[in-house]
């Protein structure tokens, strides 16, 4: 498995020299400065590659794009989309021409990921990302005042949310809004309450069936080009894996993934296996999902969450939480072996330690939420140990 690290380029407070010290050599990045829907020029791609490889002694390589974003008009199925599809295909072609052939993307409407707390306390003084069902209900019902939001929450959660909103200070509410807005993609534009209401209005009437139809059209437009280019497209599951803000989510469980991969029956139409996103759904058996779709997994995000009965969850340490990480990694190692035996040159699955806790010197550094240095390095070291142990055991069994 190829150890990789998400890096935000010039927007990142973590330097490439620090990433090397974690042991990772693959860089997962994107041209975050380019507006959605615009072509990624070859010159800009090569400039980012040159930045990553400027010091050959570091041994770093851009191996995964995360993400090549899908324009919101495509998700809404709105207007003349031919130019947007053409631009997306051209960006794919330019990346392939530069040797970058694994592209992670998502089809979540409006928000990429959503958390209500960016600095929930953990044992010993660190912090973690958290999704509180209570706080989300307070936001939707009392701050956003979304019609029909009450139907998405239990009576107990609604009662607690009403109490929180009544006793919260203006600073508490501002903090909640800022935490939720941290999941907005792109150039980090953020909405106030009125702006979010207006943005949600653009999705009015978009149900699950309509979003699926728009996604199927996207796949039909881009996957044949990916096959021609030798590019592996890999969709990221919904985070969290549930409808949100009245918007449907359609990549949340095994049935959803089967539908996505069934739209284009080719290896280029693949999956980013995110153990944290899928793991937040109590119905999901993440190792079983990985085994079912293993041949179509092109990239993995390895992290863990601890779920609560009311639907809340918190980012756990990588080997803690509810997902059996050793069982999941064993599935990925078995798939790598299968690919090697089939003679595939691209048998190695790139992975990155996802969403670490803020620990030690991470605190106060101001890195992207969920992407500190020390916390992710701890996660990578733990995952590396699991991989080494399982690999050793498998080698001994083969030799026995």
């Amino acid at each position: 498995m190829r150890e990789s690290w998400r890096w935000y380029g010039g927007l990142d407070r973590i330097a490439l020299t620090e990433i090397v010290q974690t042991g990772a050599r693959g860089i997962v990045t994107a041209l975050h400065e380019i507006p959605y829907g615009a072509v990624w020029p070859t010159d800009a791609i090569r400039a980012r590659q040159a930045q990553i490889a400027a010091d050959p002694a570091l041994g770093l390589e851009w191996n995964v794009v995360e993400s090549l974003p899908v324009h919101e008009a495509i998700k809404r199925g709105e207007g003349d989309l031919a130019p947007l599809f053409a631009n997306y295909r051209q960006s794919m072609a330019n990346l392939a021409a530069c040797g970058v052939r694994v592209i992670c993307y998502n089809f979540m409407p409006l928000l990429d990921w959503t958390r209500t707390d960016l600095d929930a306390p953990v044992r010993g003084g660190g912090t973690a990302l958290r999704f509180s069902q209570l706080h989300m209900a307070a936001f939707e019902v009392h701050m956003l005042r979304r019609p029909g939001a009450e139907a998405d929450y239990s009576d107990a959660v609604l009662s607690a949310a009403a109490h929180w909103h009544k006793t919260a200070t203006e600073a508490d509410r501002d903090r909640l809004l800022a935490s939720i807005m941290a999941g907005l993609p792109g150039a980090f534009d953020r909405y106030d309450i009125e702006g979010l209401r207006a943005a949600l209005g653009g999705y009015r009437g978009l149900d699950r069936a309509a979003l699926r139809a728009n996604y199927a059209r996207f796949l039909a437009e881009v996957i044949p080009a990916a096959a021609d280019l030798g590019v592996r497209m890999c969709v990221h599951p919904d985070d969290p894996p549930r409808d949100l803000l009245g918007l449907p989510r359609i990549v949340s469980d095994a049935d959803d993934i089967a539908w996505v991969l069934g739209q284009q029956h080719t290896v280029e139409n693949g999956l980013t296996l995110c153990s944290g996103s899928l793991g937040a759904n109590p119905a999901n058996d993440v190792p079983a999902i990985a085994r079912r779709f293993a041949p179509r997994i092109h990239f993995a995000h390895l992290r863990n969450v601890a779920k609560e009965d009311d639907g809340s969850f918190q980012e756990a340490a990588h080997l803690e939480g509810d997902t059996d990480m050793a069982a999941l990694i064993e599935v990925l190692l078995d798939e790598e072996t299968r690919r090697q035996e089939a003679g595939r040159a691209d048998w190695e699955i790139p992975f990155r330690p996802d969403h670490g806790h803020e620990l030690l010197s991470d605190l106060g550094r101001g890195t992207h939420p969920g992407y500190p240095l020390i916390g992710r390095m701890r996660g990578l070291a733990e995952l590396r140990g699991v991989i080494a142990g399982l690999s050793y055991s498998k080698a001994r069994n083969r030799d026995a």
Side-chain angles (χ1 to χ4, degrees), residues 125-398:
T127 67
L129 301 181
R130 176 175 172 78
F131 181 91
S132 164
Q133 191 83 326
L134 182 161
H135 289 153
M136 196 68 204
F139 178 78
E140 288 208 74
V141 174
H142 299 285
M143 293 174 60
L144 187 63
R145 296 194 296 278
R146 177 176 70 83
E150 293 88 348
D152 292 342
Y153 300 95
S154 68
D155 290 343
V157 167
L158 289 172
S159 177
H163 177 74
W164 181 89
H165 185 259
K166 182 178 179 179
T167 59
T169 65
E170 184 175 353
D172 292 333
R173 295 170 187 154
D174 288 346
R175 184 182 181 85
L176 177 56
L177 173 63
S179 296
I180 293 170
M181 289 300 100
L184 275 170
F188 307 106
D189 292 332
R190 298 293 178 256
Y191 296 121
D192 59 14
I193 292 293
E194 290 302 322
L196 181 57
R197 286 192 189 117
L200 288 170
Y203 290 89
R204 190 170 292 113
L206 184 77
D207 61 12
R208 179 180 177 84
L211 187 60
R212 270 193 165 186
N214 296 340
Y215 190 11
R217 180 181 176 188
F218 169 78
L219 292 171
E221 292 278 356
V222 304
I223 297 301
D228 290 341
L229 295 166
V231 165
R232 303 294 201 241
M233 298 292 292
C234 38
V235 64
H236 188 287
D238 302 326
D239 187 10
R242 48 158 287 190
D243 292 355
L244 203 69
L245 296 174
L247 301 176
R249 298 289 184 100
I250 57 172
V251 192
S252 293
D253 57 24
D255 289 343
D256 288 343
I257 294 168
W259 179 88
V260 172
L261 301 186
Q263 296 309 297
Q264 298 287 319
H265 292 281
T266 176
V267 69
E268 289 80 14
N269 181 27
L271 173 67
T272 295
L273 194 285
C274 181
S275 58
S277 297
L278 292 170
N281 183 339
N284 286 340
D285 180 335
V286 181
I289 288 173
R291 193 167 296 281
R292 177 177 175 183
F293 301 110
R296 306 281 279 275
I297 295 172
H298 303 316
F299 181 36
H301 292 176
L302 300 182
R303 62 180 171 90
N304 225 320
V305 297
K307 298 184 289 292
E308 300 166 26
D309 291 341
D310 70 351
S312 303
F313 61 89
Q314 185 160 313
E315 306 281 359
H318 286 71
L319 300 187
E320 300 174 12
D322 298 331
T323 294
D324 185 339
M325 193 61 69
L328 174 58
I329 290 173
E330 185 172 30
V331 172
L332 299 178
L333 290 174
D334 287 345
E335 174 60 18
E336 284 191 328
T337 298
R338 186 195 68 80
R339 294 179 189 185
Q340 280 185 291
E341 292 174 348
R344 275 182 54 174
D346 63 340
W347 60 267
E348 196 171 28
I349 298 173
F351 80 95
R352 63 176 180 82
D354 205 5
H355 296 185
H357 291 173
E358 285 197 347
L359 306 171
L360 304 172
S361 58
D362 288 332
L363 296 167
R365 186 168 181 180
T367 55
H368 285 72
Y371 292 96
L373 177 62
I374 305 300
R376 281 189 290 166
M377 184 170 67
R378 173 189 167 180
L380 179 57
E382 293 175 343
L383 297 169
R384 182 185 297 136
V386 173
I387 292 167
L390 288 171
S391 298
Y392 175 77
S393 177
K394 289 177 180 294
R396 286 198 65 179
N397 290 338
R398 284 194 299 268

Side-chain angles (χ1 to χ4, degrees), residues 16-234:
L16 292 172
T17 51
E18 294 176 295
I19 294 173
V20 167
Q21 293 176 59
T22 72
R25 292 295 181 268
I27 296 297
V28 178
T29 192
L31 302 183
H32 300 284
E33 301 84 356
I34 295 180
Y36 281 25
V39 172
W40 286 16
T42 302
D43 288 350
I45 296 167
R46 294 198 185 281
R48 179 58 58 85
Q49 287 178 309
Q51 183 184 12
I52 292 167
D55 184 351
L58 299 183
L60 297 175
E61 177 190 18
W62 185 2
N63 63 335
V64 178
V65 174
E66 186 178 353
S67 298
L68 181 58
V70 179
H71 196 279
E72 294 300 308
I74 293 175
K75 298 174 188 177
R76 292 192 298 264
E78 174 183 273
D80 179 11
L81 299 179
L84 289 175
F85 288 129
N87 286 357
Y88 202 97
R89 290 189 294 266
Q90 187 61 57
S91 295
M92 293 166 56
N94 292 348
L95 285 161
C98 295
V100 185
R101 297 179 182 273
V102 179
I103 299 176
C104 174
Y105 71 99
N106 74 71
F107 214 79
M108 289 178 266
L110 192 61
L111 296 180
D112 273 11
W113 55 269
T114 302
R115 299 292 185 273
T116 58
D117 302 272
L118 304 182
D119 54 0
V122 298
R123 183 176 63 249
T127 67
L129 301 181
R130 176 175 172 78
F131 181 91
S132 164
Q133 191 83 326
L134 182 161
H135 289 153
M136 196 68 204
F139 178 78
E140 288 208 74
V141 174
H142 299 285
M143 293 174 60
L144 187 63
R145 296 194 296 278
R146 177 176 70 83
E150 293 88 348
D152 292 342
Y153 300 95
S154 68
D155 290 343
V157 167
L158 289 172
S159 177
H163 177 74
W164 181 89
H165 185 259
K166 182 178 179 179
T167 59
T169 65
E170 184 175 353
D172 292 333
R173 295 170 187 154
D174 288 346
R175 184 182 181 85
L176 177 56
L177 173 63
S179 296
I180 293 170
M181 289 300 100
L184 275 170
F188 307 106
D189 292 332
R190 298 293 178 256
Y191 296 121
D192 59 14
I193 292 293
E194 290 302 322
L196 181 57
R197 286 192 189 117
L200 288 170
Y203 290 89
R204 190 170 292 113
L206 184 77
D207 61 12
R208 179 180 177 84
L211 187 60
R212 270 193 165 186
N214 296 340
Y215 190 11
R217 180 181 176 188
F218 169 78
L219 292 171
E221 292 278 356
V222 304
I223 297 301
D228 290 341
L229 295 166
V231 165
R232 303 294 201 241
M233 298 292 292
C234 38

